[in-house]
Amino acid sequence: MALLLSGCGLGGPIDASDIPVAPGEPGDTVLRLAHAYDVSHPVEQCGTPLIQQELLGSGITVESYPSAQLGTEAESLEQVAAGGLDLTVAGPSFLGVWYEPAAVLDGAYLFDDVGEFVAAVEGPVVARVHEEFRERSGMRVLSSWYYGTRHITADRPVERPEDLAGVKIRTPDAPLYLTNFGIMGGAATPMALGEVYLALQQGTLDAQENPVPTISSSGFHEVQDHLNLTGHIVQGVHLITNDELNSALEPEQRDRLDAAAAAAGEAIRECILAEETGIVEQWRAEGTLTVHDVDIAPFADRVRAELPGRVSWGAVYEEIRESVR
């Protein structure tokens, strides 16, 4: 863990080749892990090597396929459901396609900070939702990882809901994001992550929203002028497998995989927190972007008042908010 964390933050991502991961033993069960994030993102740099390291000697080898090599976030989740892929990383809105309440963690302004997020994903309300997701979909949430706090980059300041009027802002291709931004004052344009840089560069889009490490690893700071710290989603993503694979593993292997997933989540969280602070400080110092410290209350008050009545899982949203207050 110390080796993993030493490479995170402003000093740059770790080199995965520094992690002493030996090839799997003959006869190991090889699990393919696919996700949409760039190879420099903390999911790949801080999480995947630790999973591989933690599973040495378990009879399991994990092979990683980053950068949407095996499909988009939605496609990879479908492959896991069908048994054609072993593991993927998917956000709550994508789980919500299979079981609507599982999208709740992508509800805007659900949490004030990372501590509230951690308390929720380790608590009984989210555990209940994820068990219901498993029963409905046949897929299992192995671990919930902090992905980062989402902010808006744009070609203009966005400091009030009125500033979003007429702004073409990219979001992931999930209906909840359209709802979130409709309440916040804007209109979302769904688009795959890999298409966003060119759309911003060509002016097809005016803005996008992502956590700072994703903004950096995707190069969006190169084609945007303003970073608006709206903090609209303190977000997690989930490491997902399916019940068939879970049943095929030996009990000790399941325990090892669960422990490796949890350890990776801790490492990813520490790396992302370090990067969130370090990258913004660097951008401020270098003038890469104009950074706006947004008063979030006008956005948050709108969303917390309206969102529960606009979604089927509004009671769960309020239950989680109450549980972490």
Side-chain angles (χ1 to χ4, degrees):
M1 179 80 73
L3 176 59
L4 284 163
L5 299 184
S6 68
C8 297
L10 195 56
I14 63 170
D15 182 348
S17 64
D18 290 339
I19 307 302
V21 178
E25 297 293 331
D28 270 6
T29 298
V30 178
L31 305 183
R32 295 188 304 159
L33 164 63
H35 60 80
Y37 311 121
D38 185 85
V39 293
S40 64
H41 190 275
V43 164
E44 184 67 10
Q45 290 293 325
C46 302
T48 298
L50 186 57
I51 289 176
Q52 293 168 329
Q53 184 182 43
E54 290 288 307
L55 290 174
L56 289 174
S58 69
I60 301 172
T61 298
V62 170
E63 295 178 348
S64 181
Y65 297 84
S67 303
Q69 294 178 52
L70 302 185
T72 65
E73 197 164 350
E75 290 166 347
S76 293
L77 195 60
E78 289 172 359
Q79 291 179 58
V80 170
L85 181 65
D86 303 302
L87 299 161
T88 193
V89 181
S93 291
F94 292 92
L95 272 60
V97 172
W98 299 82
Y99 178 60
E100 287 186 5
V104 64
L105 295 183
D106 271 352
Y109 296 106
L110 178 61
F111 305 121
D112 289 333
D113 54 40
V114 180
E116 289 187 357
F117 164 79
V118 173
V121 299
E122 293 179 351
V125 180
V126 173
R128 183 191 74 220
V129 170
H130 287 170
E131 176 59 21
E132 292 166 352
F133 165 77
R134 186 196 65 78
E135 292 172 353
R136 186 69 60 88
S137 69
M139 291 182 284
R140 177 178 177 230
V141 176
L142 285 173
S143 184
S144 297
W145 299 343
Y146 177 57
Y147 178 61
T149 299
R150 298 182 84 95
H151 305 291
I152 296 170
T153 66
D155 58 9
R156 67 197 76 176
V158 177
E159 299 181 303
R160 303 169 301 166
E162 294 77 13
D163 294 334
L164 279 172
V167 174
K168 295 176 290 185
I169 183 168
R170 177 270 172 185
T171 68
D173 189 8
L176 178 55
Y177 284 85
L178 279 68
T179 303
N180 284 335
F181 275 93
I183 297 172
M184 288 172 64
T189 299
M191 184 179 294
L193 185 64
E195 301 172 8
V196 177
Y197 184 97
L198 186 60
L200 293 170
Q201 187 178 50
Q202 294 180 341
T204 307
L205 294 173
D206 304 314
Q208 67 83 45
E209 52 80 52
N210 261 300
V212 166
T214 304
I215 294 168
S216 178
S217 66
S218 300
F220 299 149
H221 60 291
E222 300 169 356
V223 290
Q224 297 271 261
D225 298 321
H226 299 269
L227 172 63
N228 305 283
L229 298 177
T230 51
H232 48 280
I233 303 178
V234 180
Q235 189 172 46
V237 293
H238 308 296
L239 182 64
I240 305 293
T241 187
N242 58 56
D243 275 347
E244 183 178 348
L245 171 63
N246 193 56
S247 299
L249 296 175
E250 298 293 331
E252 182 178 351
Q253 291 178 318
R254 288 197 294 271
D255 291 344
R256 290 283 299 272
L257 184 58
D258 287 347
E266 293 180 14
I268 291 166
R269 183 168 70 247
E270 294 302 320
C271 284
I272 287 177
L273 288 170
E275 287 200 357
E276 285 180 318
T277 300
I279 291 170
V280 172
E281 287 179 353
Q282 181 174 325
W283 285 346
R284 285 186 194 269
E286 296 178 352
T288 305
L289 292 163
T290 301
V291 180
H292 301 270
D293 295 301
V294 177
D295 176 8
I296 68 168
F299 294 103
D301 290 348
R302 275 193 183 195
V303 171
R304 289 168 178 171
E306 295 183 31
L307 182 62
R310 300 269 294 273
V311 293
S312 64
W313 36 262
V316 180
Y317 178 97
E318 293 179 324
E319 188 179 2
I320 291 173
R321 277 197 47 76
E322 181 63 28
S323 73
V324 299
R325 304 301 293 170

